[in-house]
Amino acid sequence: MNSIKSIRLPLVFVVVLLFLSASTFSSRSQQPKDFEKQIDALLRKMTLAEKLGQLQQLDGEANGNFRPEHLELVRQGSLGSTLNVRGAQKTNELQRIAVTASRLKIPLIFGFDVIHGYRTVFPIPLGEAATWDPAAVERSASIAAAEARAAGVHWTFAPMVDIARDPRWGRIAEGSGEDPYLGSLLARARVRGFQGTDYSAPDKVVACAKHWVAYGAAEAGRDYNTTEVSERTLREVYFPPFKAAVDAGVGTFMSAFNDLNGVPASANHFTLTEVLRDEWKFDGFVVSDYTSVEELMKHGVAANEAEAARAALDAGVDMEMVSRLYNKHGEQLLKDRKLSLKTIDEAVRRVLRIKFRLGLFAKPYADPARESAAIFNSANVAAAREIAARSLVLLKNDRNVLPLDKPVRSIALIGPLADSKTNMLGSWTGDGKPEDAATLLVGLKAKVPQAKINYAKGCDINSDKDDGFAEAVRAAKESDVVIIAVGESAEMSGEAASRSSLDLPGRQLELVKAVHATGKPYVVVLMNGRPLTINWLTENSPAILETWFAGTQGGNAIADVLFGDVNPGGKLPVTFPRNVGQIPLYYNHKNTGRPPDANNKYTSKYLDVDWKPLFPFGFGLSYTRFEIANLKLSAPRISASGQLIVSVDVRNLGPRAGDEVVQLYIRDVAASVTRPVKELKGFQRVTLAAGETKRVEFVLGAAQLGFWNQQMRYGIEPGEFMVMVGPNSEQLIEAKFAVE
Ligand code: NOJ
């Protein structure tokens, strides 16, 4: 495929490319220190076995221990890294062997999945994305980094920046949703939070952008499935959050499990070398996903282990996670001239570079004194509560059922998720402990201690039994108001957790209907790792609060919102469909030649369901009302290298302070290739006192208005653009401008 360097570019495109590459460097957090001479010296001393050893990562035990065989492997220089080994004492024990007993004393790098918290667990990434608040997301990552590093972990396998347009795919829970712009800002925020400006600091870790690439495009939403994605869609939808991570200085990447356009991501020279190394100048290393090198045989692109090792290393996978084919076959491949020493040296250089940047040669050990002070301290727990509250999305609130009155006498708390500690934490729990989690029952007891809480589970999350319904109905009848917590279990999303139905599992909807029939006022609290098809609830339930899996402090944060101590301001980072048949359904789709028209049969729609989603991307309500008006553009036309300032007034019309996320979308009306009907290009979450008005400004320029043309060159084409601003992707006010 084309590499953009080799093409003669027209003027507009050249200007834009210069602009983009300039911004790439200025937005890098810091120019990393130069360790190349030290790396050269080490490479000269290393045997081939020691080199291959640096490229090997092995798994520890689930409890954080290393495995007995690691001791000898480390001693002989045959292991460069582990995953899951954690805790200052355990990591120090293994590290001591590496830096005192191995010949070259090269330190180990300890990796771990610190996805949304280490011990203090924050909302799942999809929930954090619903904050639409990069500063909050950066803070969460920064706390996770401080806890992890104190426990001897140097490297997190996060952020997961896969764009996901299919909620059947369980891993949608681990990313920032469907939008490349929101995804890019949050990728940058997470990299900054984890790494800071210098990840050798005692409270930082090196980050890993994963899963490179298009893993979220799995056919039919089935995890690990095949992907077919055009280069344009890769560049416009799936690549941008990865590029944002590179621009923020991310140290590592993880190659994905999926095959992409016929070439597995873990043997894909185009994505790993041509794009990542050559075009984007990424100088860190790529680790394979768990056994994804070995899996090249099952993919059918390698006939045996040696071929799999060669394909992955040659394509640009520097470190092998768990399978051991580089080490088993590297020497023979070299002898047979199927692999060059240069390729191996380059991979080793990249791994060593990150170890140097982490400061591991100078300071290989974790400080046990830091461990107890840094982990799960009260400041971290308070931050988890605050960020969790910011991630909640109010989907419905008829006649202001919410917020509830604090002087309430009795509350029925119903549902299988109302008091489930394990499920609060979501699918990746790091070193989080269920016993740390505040459930909704805990949160309510603390929030309204005087109220009588009639708790009834009602049913399990996923069973066909309804023998708890009678008790739940009784609890509802005996109470002034009802809160029902329903949704998915934590393990129904995340890896290997695809679903073909997005309905509430088991008998939960019937439980809600039974409570509904009592006529009591009630609120539905949803906990889930993906959009659900909640049509009945949307039509019939008075209020719905989407809470994802809100983490250690989830129950307290939900109580803060239910009783109005926090006014909800989160917005959906992903579209909620009406049924599975609508999938993939995303806001930034193409117009088609026959856009949907209710009065014309021969247009793009369904016979049996609306073409529109149940809740659009960007949607979320508040306890107050906002108006967005007075859309102004700084000019009616700009040049291709110019800038446009877009501004609106946002006003709080209601009686209490609240947050609105002002969202800006653009549309390129006619171009040489079809363009999405709208694309998010700016947003700001603003807090307004009752009655307050603020002017919000956005800047549009080359980086926001360009696209990849038919020759796969990036640039802006002259012509008309629409600008749309509003509180979600559907309620928008519009203006037009032209690029000359
Ligand atoms: C497999 C998952 O796909 C990846 O996200 C994770 O980082 C590794 N396992 C390591 O646990």
Side-chain angles (χ1 to χ4, degrees), residues 83 113 157 171 210-211 254 257 289-290 321 428 495:
L83 71 154
D113 289 282
F157 304 127
R171 304 201 79 169
K210 72 183 189 187
H211 307 81
M254 186 184 292
F257 287 127
D289 204 343
Y290 211 97
M321 186 191 286
W428 281 113
E495 189 178 348

Side-chain angles (χ1 to χ4, degrees), residues 216-290:
E219 274 182 8
R222 186 158 54 80
D223 205 5
Y224 316 122
N225 205 3
T226 299
T227 65
E228 282 283 339
V229 186
S230 72
E231 186 178 351
R232 174 169 302 103
T233 304
L234 284 175
R235 290 189 180 277
E236 292 183 356
V237 178
Y238 292 95
F239 283 1
F242 288 97
K243 179 64 163 61
V246 171
D247 290 347
V250 73
T252 74
F253 263 53
M254 186 184 292
S255 67
F257 287 127
N258 55 292
D259 70 315
L260 170 64
N261 303 331
V263 184
S266 292
N268 198 308
H269 192 267
F270 170 64
T271 55
L272 290 162
T273 293
E274 288 168 51
V275 175
L276 188 56
R277 285 188 184 180
D278 298 345
E279 196 179 311
W280 294 358
K281 312 285 177 231
F282 171 71
D283 71 357
F285 73 86
V286 177
V287 64
S288 77
D289 204 343
Y290 211 97

Side-chain angles (χ1 to χ4, degrees), residues 4-128:
I4 54 170
K5 285 178 308 187
S6 58
I7 297 164
R8 270 200 288 133
L9 307 174
L11 187 62
V12 172
F13 288 90
V14 173
V15 169
V16 171
L17 282 173
L18 286 175
F19 171 86
L20 288 176
S21 59
S23 69
T24 298
F25 289 104
S26 60
S27 68
R28 232 179 237 282
S29 321
Q30 197 195 42
Q31 275 306 321
K33 289 195 202 102
D34 185 3
F35 294 105
E36 301 310 299
K37 289 212 174 70
Q38 282 138 288
I39 297 171
D40 287 338
L42 263 178
L43 276 171
R44 278 194 295 271
K45 287 189 218 152
M46 292 171 88
T47 63
L48 179 62
E50 283 164 336
K51 288 178 180 174
L52 293 169
Q54 284 305 306
L55 308 184
Q56 181 69 60
Q57 180 182 61
L58 291 177
D59 199 355
E61 291 171 356
N63 62 7
N65 274 329
F66 50 83
R67 294 176 196 274
E69 68 152 335
H70 294 168
L71 293 168
E72 189 45 36
L73 288 173
V74 172
R75 198 184 314 273
Q76 68 197 32
S78 302
L79 186 60
S81 175
T82 64
L83 71 154
N84 290 326
V85 177
R86 59 193 186 277
Q89 192 228 324
K90 291 170 198 163
T91 54
N92 284 348
E93 204 181 320
L94 199 57
Q95 189 71 299
R96 188 156 292 115
I97 295 174
V99 301
T100 62
S102 77
R103 193 178 76 91
L104 292 173
K105 309 189 174 6
I106 300 174
L108 292 160
I109 173 171
F110 295 107
F112 188 46
D113 289 282
V114 184
I115 309 295
H116 50 111
Y118 180 75
R119 168 84 184 263
T120 309
V121 180
F122 290 82
I124 57 168
L126 191 64
E128 285 195 344

